[in-house]
Amino acid sequence: MPDFTPTPADRFTFGLWTVGNTGRDPFGEATRPVLRAPYLVEKLAALGAYGVNLHDNDLVPIDATAAQRDALVREFQQALSDHGLVVPMATTNLFSDPAFKDGAFTSADARVRAYALSKTMRAMDLGAELGAHTYVLWGGREGTEVDAGGKLLDALGWFRDSLNYLAAYSESQGYGYRFALEPKPNEPRADIFLPTVGSALGFIATLERPELFGVNPEFAHETMAGLSFPHAVAQAIDAGKLFHIDLNDQKMGRFDQDLRFGAENPKGAFFLVQLLEDSGYAGPKHFDAHALRTEDEAGVWAFARGCMRTYLILKDKVQRFAQDAEIQAALAAYRVQDAELEALTGTFTPANAGALKAHAFDRAALGTRGPGLEALDQLTMELLLGVR
């Protein structure tokens, strides 16, 4: 039996807001006490995690004085040093404070937009101080419930201007951040700008420094909208824009549940792990999830350990998939090759186009061929269920 015990080499990370989640939700108060950041670092290190990520206010309260801020940062840095964890990614909380109730970078109030920029630059300073190289931007309040305000095109322009400003600030400070936009279709706003990976990729192309921007897709967010997360991640990889990734799980069409990775959609999780491993993704694998509200502190650490173990179990299944002779034979049969036609379709030339138009295709045979996907899918299920 393989050993599914995580180590820092697996590059698993958690947010302070994930293992520090107190179980509070819109209908109920907290069910767990607040756990301090240095303690969370210690516990994650003991479980084999690689790093910890944070919003600015996960560590430093929004109303902290400069002296309080510096003391909290020093204490956190000491914990990281003592336990060997790193901070690969940082981000800004632009969604909790009432000032951002109608948006941060896309607020119709110029004062709010300016405050959002100021807050984000200070949070970028904090992230750089802690060693972060990736900066995630989740626009949780960047959206609308009422479109009568007529700000849609203006909001996209304000959003673009803000991202351009932050990229220039990063470069001027020598931080070298790579920025990752995190799409989400809805919640907490009714409609959030840049709701999917595809929309974020399209927006990035309009920025002044598009090479500095990529995406941070999240399993739950694409699933909420009924979309395939592996498909979204494949698009990001194909574009060279998978700068970071959030792993969790979700029931389709529900509120943002942030379930333990693999808890609800094991087949989707399997194909995601296969995609990440086969494509050579080398970035952190971040679990943006939290323990169920029913759990005490012991349940929090069972949740964290479970996220990492599930990924490693699925990674082992990916290797078995690649080594299974029957599965590989089914894959080979599915992918029909034709050297002559592939030569004609690979590169356009007038001669290739003419030959392709003149080629006699057996349309009836093409329509009657069965690709064997039922059998291949069943073989995959048997592998996941442990009978292969």
Side-chain angles (χ1 to χ4, degrees):
M1 175 69 70
D3 183 2
F4 300 119
T5 301
T7 71
D10 297 309
R11 297 177 67 83
F12 293 137
T13 64
F14 291 83
L16 289 180
W17 71 94
T18 64
V19 288
N21 183 282
T22 61
R24 188 177 181 275
D25 68 21
F27 301 98
E29 299 302 326
T31 61
R32 294 185 290 270
V34 173
L35 301 176
R36 298 189 70 245
Y39 177 72
L40 296 175
V41 168
E42 176 185 354
K43 296 293 287 186
L44 286 173
L47 289 175
Y50 164 71
V52 61
N53 301 320
L54 71 157
H55 301 86
D56 49 353
N57 301 137
D58 295 337
L59 181 63
V60 181
I62 196 169
D63 55 357
T65 66
Q68 290 170 332
R69 181 259 190 212
D70 291 345
L72 289 167
V73 172
R74 283 195 302 270
E75 182 184 36
F76 185 60
Q77 288 175 315
Q78 187 62 55
L80 294 170
S81 176
D82 289 346
H83 300 290
L85 261 62
V86 298
V87 177
M89 179 273 279
T91 184
T92 317
N93 186 328
L94 295 175
F95 47 87
S96 292
D97 194 83
F100 304 122
K101 60 183 178 289
D102 191 34
F105 300 142
T106 63
S107 172
D109 188 329
R111 298 167 300 175
V112 174
R113 298 198 301 273
Y115 173 55
L117 276 177
S118 174
K119 188 176 191 294
T120 302
M121 286 188 290
R122 285 183 278 111
M124 289 167 61
D125 298 341
L126 173 62
E129 187 176 350
L130 296 172
H133 297 290
T134 301
Y135 207 86
V136 166
L137 295 162
W138 174 55
R141 298 291 177 184
E142 313 293 8
T144 66
E145 287 78 40
V146 176
D147 286 339
K151 72 170 187 177
L152 295 184
L153 288 176
D154 288 334
L156 291 171
W158 295 328
F159 208 164
R160 180 181 299 106
D161 291 343
S162 296
L163 297 184
N164 289 336
Y165 196 105
L166 295 173
Y169 177 71
S170 173
E171 295 298 287
S172 73
Q173 295 294 106
Y175 292 159
Y177 276 123
R178 296 204 311 167
F179 295 90
L181 305 185
E182 181 175 330
K184 188 179 183 184
N186 59 274
E187 199 197 44
R189 300 304 298 266
D191 292 291
I192 295 181
F193 299 130
L194 310 184
T196 64
V197 165
S199 58
L201 291 175
F203 191 73
I204 287 169
T206 72
L207 301 176
E208 290 176 354
R209 296 290 303 276
E211 74 279 6
L212 298 180
F213 288 84
V215 292
N216 175 52
E218 179 174 318
F219 200 119
H221 293 177
E222 299 287 319
T223 305
M224 288 172 72
L227 301 174
S228 164
F229 189 59
H231 286 214
V233 173
Q235 186 176 10
I237 292 172
D238 180 68
K241 292 296 188 180
L242 184 61
F243 284 10
H244 197 262
I245 191 165
D246 281 354
L247 306 177
N248 51 22
D249 214 334
Q250 173 76 27
K251 292 186 177 182
M252 185 173 64
R254 307 293 178 87
F255 61 93
D256 192 2
Q257 295 171 303
D258 284 342
L259 300 173
R260 188 182 71 256
F261 179 62
E264 186 63 31
N265 299 286
K267 190 160 73 167
F270 167 77
F271 287 122
L272 172 66
V273 172
Q274 184 182 56
L275 185 61
L276 294 177
E277 296 297 323
D278 289 352
S279 69
Y281 172 75
K285 294 176 277 287
H286 176 65
F287 295 105
D288 188 358
H290 54 76
L292 298 171
R293 188 170 182 269
T294 55
E295 301 306 292
D296 58 11
E297 187 187 334
V300 171
W301 306 121
F303 144 81
R305 180 173 179 267
C307 284
M308 295 186 285
R309 279 182 60 83
T310 295
Y311 188 99
L312 293 175
I313 291 167
L314 291 173
K315 181 178 176 180
D316 178 70
K317 296 289 187 183
V318 168
Q319 294 168 349
R320 292 173 185 268
F321 185 95
Q323 296 164 0
D324 188 296
E326 191 173 0
I327 289 175
Q328 293 307 307
L331 280 171
Y334 173 58
R335 295 183 175 226
V336 177
Q337 296 179 316
D338 187 306
E340 177 188 359
L341 290 176
E342 288 177 280
L344 295 177
T345 57
T347 302
F348 171 81
T349 67
N352 283 350
L356 190 60
K357 289 168 65 178
H359 184 83
F361 291 94
D362 189 342
R363 180 179 53 80
L366 293 176
T368 56
R369 173 184 172 265
L373 290 173
E374 280 283 5
L376 180 57
D377 189 58
Q378 180 61 28
L379 290 171
T380 303
M381 285 303 303
E382 291 178 7
L383 179 77
L384 291 176
L385 292 172
V387 298
R388 297 191 64 79

